[in-house]
Every structure is written in C-alpha cells, then in structure tokens.
Amino acid sequence: MSTYLLEIGTEELPADLAESVISQLELNVNNDLNSSHIKFSEIKVSTTPRRIALKIEGIAPFSEDNISERKGPPVDQAFHDGKPTKAAIGFAKRFNLSPEKLEIRETVKGSFVFAKSVEKGRPVESLLADHLPGWINKIQGRRFMRWGKGDFRFSRPIRWIVSLIDSEILPFRISGCDPEIQIGNLSRPHRLHGSKLEIKNAKTYFDQLQDVGVTVDRNSRLSCINDLVLNHEKNKKVKPDLTEPLLNELTDLVESPLLVTGNFDEAFLDLPPEVLSTVMKVHQRYIPLYKDNVDFDPLSLDSRNILLPSFLCISNGLSSAKENIILGNEKVLKARFSDAKFFIKSDLLITSASRINKLKDVTFAEGLGSLYDRVNRIEWLTKLLTSKLKFDQADIEKSLKVAHFSKHDLVSNMVDEFPELQGIVGSKYLLHEGEEKDVCLGVLEHYKPKGSADSLPSNNFGNAVSLAERFELLFSIFAKGERPSGSSDPYALRRAANGIFLILWKKDWKLNINEILNDSLTYWQQIFPSLPFDISSLSSELMEFFRQRIISLLEEKGIDFDIINAIAGNTTSTSKLLDYPTDVDFRSSLLMDMRKNNTLDLLQAVVTRASKLAAKSSISNDIIDPSTFVDKSLFEKGCESEMFNVLEKLKPLAINGDRVKYKLLADGLVSSAETLANFFDGEGSVMVMTDDINLRNNRLNLLTVLRNQSLKLADFSKLT
C-alpha cells in the first residue's frame, strides 16, 4: 500500500481560510476516491500559513474492478432449440460479449439471461493525476486572485507544488497558469530555515518539515499554542485572555509557535480595559493578561485593577531572536496605545450631547436619512415600547436617554479608528461626564444580544433600546424594499429579529408585536412619504418573517420539529403567534417536558381523533364554552355528560392563557385523557357519526370544543 502527498505552497494564506480548506478538500477527495473505486485507509488534510497539505495513506496500486450486471430478455426469447436468437445476440453485443457468455438465472418473474461485464481496475497514479487539478480548482474562499498572465485563481499565488506517491513524483498540470507551476518534490522550509527542501518520501513529509521548523499538522500547532499560554506562569495569579477565535487565528498565522512575553508602560493602564484588550487582541493578535479573581466592571474607566502591564505574543520567529522580537512588538504596541490615548483625549474635548449633532452628517442608508434621523426613530420606538411594557415614568425617561445617546460615539475619533468599541466608548465618555451608571450601562449593552449564546443587557433600559434599535432596522430596511435572501443578509435583519425574541423570551415580557407593527408602520408612512410601501402588505411580510425567526430559534433550542409545527406552523395564524410571543417559547418547552414525561402521547391520541371529527363541524375555532353549542338534553350516555363536565372544568383555563393556566390546562387535559377516551372506546361509548342529525351535531360540537380548548396549547394534529 502506498502513501500519496500533495503540498500546495503559497504566499501567506488568510487565516480565515484554513478550516474551510480542510473540510473542502477532505470532502472532495473522499468523494472522488470512492467514485473511482480507489481503496485507501485515511485522508489527512492540514494547513499552515504557507502551505496546504493532503496526505492519503493506504492506497491500493490499482482501483477495484468495476463489475456490472444487466438483465436481458427472457430465456425463451433469447434461445431457440439451444441456439441464441437475434435478441440474445444483440443484447450480448451491447456488452462486448459472445452469446455463450450470457448467464441464465431464475427470478420471481421467470428465467432471464444476464450479461456480466468486468472493467479492470486502472493504475492509481493515472486516476490521481486526473483528479488532482480538480481538487485544487474546487477550493473556494473569499477574495481569490489571479497572478502572472494566466486566468487561474487561488487565494494567494501558488509558488510550488509537491506531488509524490511514496518517493516517486506524480506529475499533473493545472491549466490557466502563466508562468506554469512546477510540480515535483521540492518544498520550502520555515522562512528562517533556508529556501528549499527535498521531500524524500510522502511517508516522511511531516517529520521532514518538523525538522526544518514547520509544524504542518494544524491540530498540533493549536494544542501547542494553547499549552504554551495556559502553562505560562501558571503558579502566578494571571489569567491569559486567549479566546477560541484568537487561538484559531494564531494557529493559522504561524508555522512554528514561539511564546514571548512583552511589557508596556503602566501609564497606559489609565485607559479603559476594553481599549487595551481590543488593541492587543484584534489589531496585534497579542494575548492580554488579566489579574486573577477580579470583579470586572464593564464601565471601568481605567485598567489598573484589571490588567497587568504585560502581554503574551505567539511569534513565528526563532528562539535565538526572542529579545529582538519582544522589542519590536513592544514598540508597535506602544504606538497603538499612544494613538488610542490621543483619540480619547481629543474625544473628551467635546461633550457627548454636542457629538449627537455630528450624526446629521453621516448617512444611515440611501433613502433613510442620516444616523441622527435613525436615532430619532429609535427614540420614538423606545417611547412606544416602554409604554406598552408599562415602564414607570422615571424608567421611560431613562430609557429615552439611553436611546438618545445610543449612537453618539459612532462619530468619535476612537470608534473611527477602532470600530469594535462602538457602544463601549460611548458609555465611558458619558460616565466621565457624570451621567448615571444605569444609563451608561444601557448605552454600553444595547447592542446585545449578538447571538443566541450572548447575554442580554443587564438592565431594562438597555433591553428596551435594544428592542427599539432592532425594530427600527427591520421597519426601515423592509420599507426601503430590501429583503434578506439566501445567505445574503447585509443588514443582519435575521439577527435583529432573533434578538427581539431572545429578549422577550428571556425577560418574559408580554409585548404584542401586532400592535407595534400597526403603530410603527403608520408612523413610518408619515415620515417616509417618498417610500412606496403599502402598510397591509408590508405588515404581512414582516409578520411572516417573524414567524420564520421564531421557528429558527426554537430549532436552535432543540425543540422537536413536530412540536414547533404544532405551535408555530402554518395552521397557527401569524397574528395569533405575535400577540404574545413569550407564550410560544413557554408552550414549546411545556410540550417538550410532556413528551419527556410520556404524557403527551396519551393526550395526543384523544385530541387528534377529536380534531379529525371536529373538522366536520361548523363551529369556529374560538368557541371554548361547551354550554353555548352543546345541548345536554340530547345526551344518551354517561360518557357525554362526563366529557361535558371536563370541558366545563377546562373552560376557564382556556381563556386568556398565561403560564399558570397553560400548565393547568395541560395537566387538566392529561388527567382527563381516560374520560375523553371513553367517549370513543369505553363500554358506554357513543357513535359520533350517528344517523340522527341532531345527536350527531351535538356530539361533534362536544369534540369541537375539546379541539378548540386544546388549540390554546398547540395544534395536536401536527404532532407525530
């Protein structure tokens, strides 16, 4: 068995390409090897900043024989008096066989002739050479480029390719390259270890590269970096801020990880911790060092009790050059910190209130005015939302203040240089000016949640403005006529809608989104007379968009799809769904608990049966009072009275449902399941579809009320 090696040597690859390349190559290579009937034991793909490596182990020298069989005509048509007929001769000829080579087999439909053809396996070298250009061409990513005079595109210019099967070069050609890429056994070591390296054998590739300063295996580099950082002065009270995204990025920036420690002037600790950590992590890819067991105040104006005046750096240099590496990194960091200090100092020369007027000079989106106009719309929505949520007057005023200052730092020098700090910088400036801490915290956190795993704003003011900002974005962009499509969502509208429901669900706020839609779109039509939208149709579009976001979030929570369909599917009107969307989250969790407790099946069987018969009734879905449409004088058996009594008992629980009533309604239906089942199958059961029209309608009305009461929980007919 052989080992094949492909190494694609490039200029430095973007760090965000590595993981994508690994999954793409593994999938494409695996598919092609299987389709070509090539046996192998393992595919291994890895990357460094300068190379993409593919290693296929345990390759057979030839692909497997391809054996195919075809059924032909019946034997009595294929042979006559033992001699082949024209049918047999023609059938055999199609497979390059003589009629004598046809096999006769018995089938359930009688005796037939079969043709068996064997295509001998091809040499693996030939098959690999055919597939290799396609494997390289299929690699996809952002910002692919051309170089030289050819039309071939790749993430970065390809400088060399190693193609070996064991120790033999396996040549192939990539079309569209000018100059043509040389394919052989010459690789390149770490930049500081020489210029060329002859790969002697595909099996020794990883060891050879390790000897010249390149850890090719990405997982090994990641583990090495993680261990270097976590074991750094582990006995001291230091907490390295090595996040998973930063760890992945560092892994894809170096070929041979070297940990160095640098320091910076303690005077820079007068800057906020977010400023220092953003410069270190985002702009320089350094690892900040936090003091251990420190209560972090998100509004802290300085870092003296939070950060150490030092950092860790993962370098790609040689250990002999550590001192120069440290000096270089410290010099760069000092310049970046000095810039940040200057920007903050210049920002503080003007007040946050006066900065708001500068928002008039920044366009939000074409046709939607400036950022100043957007802030006004957010303030209007904040006032509407806090009124609907029954905030007291003092909290409404604070929420409005948060909304008013929510975007002022977008025109600050600091955010212009460090966009990641929007909201954070604005809150610090307000606190510096003496604003109340809870207002500053609302400004800081109103961008939350950024995803389902993110936390919510800490106080009600931040949550209210977060809702207002998301509603404003959705209403404005939809009114403008733009929609998310497929993977394209430039305004992150899906994330905005998700954030609305995450806040409402986690805060347990009862907000009628239908009312918000009606009030807001009427106002939007007044302030945007030039935007040609119809309130009714736009409202319908937004309502359906919200439904899809609810379904998506419930899927993320692990709710079974049939339960999602029963609660938020097409049989539930979007209007009802958005009346109080907090109910959706609670009812889905309630039904999941019932399923886990094995009580849902009991109830489902009875209610589903009732729903099917109730479809024949003319009573509308909103009737939940049995006394209105059921005539007790027509009862013939005790099961009818028993069902009526159950429905009377459940009636108050099905009116204006809340969490307590939903739970009681579910418990009441479950505890009455046997009584309800007896209506159909007990000793004293009744025939619902009797010939007596009055009796039939009366019984159908009973079942319809049962269905309607259960619909307050879910459409049980959608459960599987």
Side-chain angles (χ1 to χ4, degrees), residues 330-358:
E330 288 179 344
K331 185 177 179 180
V332 171
L333 191 61
K334 180 181 179 181
R336 297 293 285 176
F337 281 169
S338 297
D339 287 346
K341 186 175 182 179
F342 170 78
F343 291 139
I344 289 177
K345 187 176 180 180
S346 61
D347 282 339
L348 292 176
L349 293 176
I350 64 173
T351 65
S352 300
S354 61
R355 193 178 292 114
I356 290 173
N357 283 325
K358 290 188 175 184

Short mmCIF file of all heavy atoms in Angstrom, two decimals, residues 330-358:
data_model
loop_
_atom_site.label_atom_id
_atom_site.label_comp_id
_atom_site.label_asym_id
_atom_site.label_seq_id
_atom_site.Cartn_x
_atom_site.Cartn_y
_atom_site.Cartn_z
N GLU A 330 6.84 45.36 21.43
CA GLU A 330 6.59 46.41 22.43
C GLU A 330 6.55 47.79 21.76
O GLU A 330 5.73 48.64 22.13
CB GLU A 330 7.69 46.38 23.50
CG GLU A 330 7.59 45.19 24.44
CD GLU A 330 8.69 45.16 25.48
OE1 GLU A 330 9.70 45.88 25.29
OE2 GLU A 330 8.56 44.42 26.47
N LYS A 331 7.42 47.99 20.78
CA LYS A 331 7.46 49.27 20.08
C LYS A 331 6.16 49.52 19.31
O LYS A 331 5.58 50.62 19.36
CB LYS A 331 8.64 49.28 19.12
CG LYS A 331 8.85 50.61 18.41
CD LYS A 331 10.09 50.55 17.52
CE LYS A 331 10.30 51.88 16.79
NZ LYS A 331 11.50 51.82 15.91
N VAL A 332 5.68 48.47 18.63
CA VAL A 332 4.42 48.59 17.87
C VAL A 332 3.25 48.85 18.81
O VAL A 332 2.39 49.71 18.54
CB VAL A 332 4.17 47.32 17.03
CG1 VAL A 332 2.76 47.35 16.42
CG2 VAL A 332 5.20 47.18 15.94
N LEU A 333 3.21 48.11 19.93
CA LEU A 333 2.10 48.26 20.86
C LEU A 333 2.10 49.65 21.50
O LEU A 333 1.03 50.25 21.70
CB LEU A 333 2.18 47.18 21.94
CG LEU A 333 0.94 47.04 22.83
CD1 LEU A 333 -0.28 46.67 22.00
CD2 LEU A 333 1.16 46.00 23.93
N LYS A 334 3.27 50.16 21.80
CA LYS A 334 3.35 51.50 22.39
C LYS A 334 2.75 52.53 21.45
O LYS A 334 2.00 53.43 21.87
CB LYS A 334 4.81 51.84 22.70
CG LYS A 334 4.98 53.22 23.32
CD LYS A 334 6.45 53.54 23.58
CE LYS A 334 6.60 54.94 24.18
NZ LYS A 334 8.03 55.28 24.42
N ALA A 335 3.03 52.39 20.17
CA ALA A 335 2.49 53.33 19.18
C ALA A 335 0.97 53.24 19.10
O ALA A 335 0.27 54.25 19.03
CB ALA A 335 3.12 53.06 17.82
N ARG A 336 0.45 52.01 19.11
CA ARG A 336 -1.01 51.82 19.04
C ARG A 336 -1.69 52.37 20.29
O ARG A 336 -2.74 53.01 20.20
CB ARG A 336 -1.34 50.33 18.87
CG ARG A 336 -0.83 49.71 17.59
CD ARG A 336 -1.51 50.26 16.36
NE ARG A 336 -2.87 49.73 16.21
CZ ARG A 336 -3.71 50.12 15.27
NH1 ARG A 336 -3.36 51.05 14.40
NH2 ARG A 336 -4.91 49.60 15.18
N PHE A 337 -1.10 52.11 21.46
CA PHE A 337 -1.68 52.63 22.71
C PHE A 337 -1.62 54.17 22.73
O PHE A 337 -2.55 54.83 23.22
CB PHE A 337 -0.94 52.07 23.92
CG PHE A 337 -1.33 50.66 24.29
CD1 PHE A 337 -0.59 49.94 25.22
CD2 PHE A 337 -2.42 50.05 23.71
CE1 PHE A 337 -0.94 48.65 25.57
CE2 PHE A 337 -2.79 48.75 24.06
CZ PHE A 337 -2.04 48.05 24.99
N SER A 338 -0.54 54.71 22.21
CA SER A 338 -0.41 56.17 22.18
C SER A 338 -1.48 56.78 21.27
O SER A 338 -2.05 57.83 21.60
CB SER A 338 0.99 56.57 21.68
OG SER A 338 1.98 56.11 22.58
N ASP A 339 -1.76 56.11 20.15
CA ASP A 339 -2.83 56.57 19.27
C ASP A 339 -4.17 56.57 20.00
O ASP A 339 -4.94 57.54 19.93
CB ASP A 339 -2.93 55.67 18.03
CG ASP A 339 -1.79 55.89 17.06
OD1 ASP A 339 -1.08 56.90 17.20
OD2 ASP A 339 -1.59 55.02 16.19
N ALA A 340 -4.44 55.46 20.70
CA ALA A 340 -5.71 55.34 21.42
C ALA A 340 -5.83 56.42 22.49
O ALA A 340 -6.90 57.03 22.66
CB ALA A 340 -5.82 53.95 22.06
N LYS A 341 -4.73 56.68 23.18
CA LYS A 341 -4.74 57.71 24.23
C LYS A 341 -5.02 59.08 23.62
O LYS A 341 -5.80 59.88 24.17
CB LYS A 341 -3.38 57.71 24.94
CG LYS A 341 -3.31 58.63 26.14
CD LYS A 341 -1.97 58.47 26.86
CE LYS A 341 -1.92 59.35 28.10
NZ LYS A 341 -0.62 59.18 28.81
N PHE A 342 -4.44 59.35 22.46
CA PHE A 342 -4.67 60.63 21.79
C PHE A 342 -6.12 60.76 21.35
O PHE A 342 -6.74 61.83 21.51
CB PHE A 342 -3.73 60.75 20.58
CG PHE A 342 -4.04 61.92 19.70
CD1 PHE A 342 -3.65 63.21 20.07
CD2 PHE A 342 -4.76 61.76 18.53
CE1 PHE A 342 -3.96 64.31 19.27
CE2 PHE A 342 -5.07 62.85 17.73
CZ PHE A 342 -4.67 64.13 18.10
N PHE A 343 -6.68 59.69 20.77
CA PHE A 343 -8.06 59.74 20.30
C PHE A 343 -9.03 59.99 21.46
O PHE A 343 -9.97 60.78 21.33
CB PHE A 343 -8.42 58.43 19.59
CG PHE A 343 -7.70 58.23 18.29
CD1 PHE A 343 -7.20 56.98 17.95
CD2 PHE A 343 -7.52 59.27 17.40
CE1 PHE A 343 -6.53 56.79 16.76
CE2 PHE A 343 -6.85 59.09 16.20
CZ PHE A 343 -6.34 57.84 15.88
N ILE A 344 -8.81 59.31 22.58
CA ILE A 344 -9.69 59.51 23.73
C ILE A 344 -9.58 60.93 24.25
O ILE A 344 -10.59 61.59 24.55
CB ILE A 344 -9.35 58.49 24.85
CG1 ILE A 344 -9.78 57.08 24.43
CG2 ILE A 344 -10.04 58.88 26.16
CD1 ILE A 344 -9.43 56.00 25.42
N LYS A 345 -8.34 61.44 24.32
CA LYS A 345 -8.13 62.80 24.82
C LYS A 345 -8.83 63.82 23.92
O LYS A 345 -9.49 64.75 24.41
CB LYS A 345 -6.63 63.08 24.88
CG LYS A 345 -6.28 64.42 25.53
CD LYS A 345 -4.77 64.58 25.64
CE LYS A 345 -4.42 65.91 26.31
NZ LYS A 345 -2.95 66.08 26.42
N SER A 346 -8.74 63.61 22.60
CA SER A 346 -9.38 64.56 21.68
C SER A 346 -10.90 64.42 21.72
O SER A 346 -11.62 65.42 21.60
CB SER A 346 -8.87 64.35 20.26
OG SER A 346 -9.15 63.03 19.80
N ASP A 347 -11.41 63.20 21.92
CA ASP A 347 -12.86 63.00 22.01
C ASP A 347 -13.44 63.70 23.23
O ASP A 347 -14.56 64.24 23.19
CB ASP A 347 -13.19 61.50 22.09
CG ASP A 347 -13.12 60.81 20.74
OD1 ASP A 347 -13.22 61.50 19.71
OD2 ASP A 347 -12.97 59.57 20.72
N LEU A 348 -12.68 63.69 24.33
CA LEU A 348 -13.20 64.27 25.57
C LEU A 348 -13.21 65.80 25.56
O LEU A 348 -13.72 66.42 26.49
CB LEU A 348 -12.39 63.76 26.77
CG LEU A 348 -12.56 62.26 27.08
CD1 LEU A 348 -11.64 61.85 28.23
CD2 LEU A 348 -14.02 61.95 27.44
N LEU A 349 -12.68 66.38 24.49
CA LEU A 349 -12.70 67.84 24.39
C LEU A 349 -14.10 68.36 24.07
O LEU A 349 -14.38 69.55 24.27
CB LEU A 349 -11.71 68.31 23.32
CG LEU A 349 -10.23 68.08 23.63
CD1 LEU A 349 -9.37 68.51 22.45
CD2 LEU A 349 -9.81 68.84 24.90
N ILE A 350 -14.96 67.48 23.54
CA ILE A 350 -16.34 67.90 23.28
C ILE A 350 -17.28 66.97 24.05
O ILE A 350 -16.93 65.83 24.37
CB ILE A 350 -16.68 67.86 21.77
CG1 ILE A 350 -16.62 66.43 21.23
CG2 ILE A 350 -15.76 68.77 20.99
CD1 ILE A 350 -17.12 66.32 19.80
N THR A 351 -18.48 67.44 24.35
CA THR A 351 -19.44 66.65 25.13
C THR A 351 -20.15 65.64 24.23
O THR A 351 -20.22 65.79 23.01
CB THR A 351 -20.49 67.56 25.78
OG1 THR A 351 -21.26 68.18 24.74
CG2 THR A 351 -19.83 68.61 26.65
N SER A 352 -20.69 64.63 24.87
CA SER A 352 -21.45 63.62 24.14
C SER A 352 -22.68 64.24 23.50
O SER A 352 -23.07 63.86 22.39
CB SER A 352 -21.87 62.49 25.09
OG SER A 352 -20.74 61.87 25.65
N ALA A 353 -23.30 65.19 24.19
CA ALA A 353 -24.51 65.83 23.65
C ALA A 353 -24.20 66.58 22.36
O ALA A 353 -24.98 66.52 21.40
CB ALA A 353 -25.09 66.78 24.70
N SER A 354 -23.08 67.29 22.33
CA SER A 354 -22.75 68.03 21.12
C SER A 354 -22.31 67.09 19.99
O SER A 354 -22.43 67.43 18.81
CB SER A 354 -21.64 69.05 21.41
OG SER A 354 -20.46 68.40 21.86
N ARG A 355 -21.82 65.93 20.36
CA ARG A 355 -21.42 64.95 19.34
C ARG A 355 -22.63 64.42 18.58
O ARG A 355 -22.53 64.04 17.41
CB ARG A 355 -20.65 63.80 20.00
CG ARG A 355 -19.92 62.90 19.01
CD ARG A 355 -19.11 61.81 19.71
NE ARG A 355 -18.01 62.38 20.45
CZ ARG A 355 -17.89 62.36 21.77
NH1 ARG A 355 -18.84 61.81 22.50
NH2 ARG A 355 -16.86 62.90 22.36
N ILE A 356 -23.81 64.41 19.21
CA ILE A 356 -25.01 63.88 18.56
C ILE A 356 -25.34 64.65 17.29
O ILE A 356 -25.77 64.07 16.29
CB ILE A 356 -26.20 63.90 19.54
CG1 ILE A 356 -25.98 62.84 20.63
CG2 ILE A 356 -27.52 63.64 18.82
CD1 ILE A 356 -26.98 62.87 21.74
N ASN A 357 -25.11 65.96 17.30
CA ASN A 357 -25.40 66.77 16.10
C ASN A 357 -24.55 66.35 14.91
O ASN A 357 -24.95 66.52 13.76
CB ASN A 357 -25.18 68.25 16.39
CG ASN A 357 -26.34 68.83 17.19
OD1 ASN A 357 -27.49 68.44 17.00
ND2 ASN A 357 -26.03 69.74 18.09
N LYS A 358 -23.37 65.79 15.18
CA LYS A 358 -22.50 65.34 14.09
C LYS A 358 -23.08 64.14 13.35
O LYS A 358 -22.67 63.84 12.22
CB LYS A 358 -21.12 64.98 14.62
CG LYS A 358 -20.30 66.18 15.09
CD LYS A 358 -18.88 65.75 15.42
CE LYS A 358 -18.01 66.95 15.77
NZ LYS A 358 -16.60 66.56 16.01
#
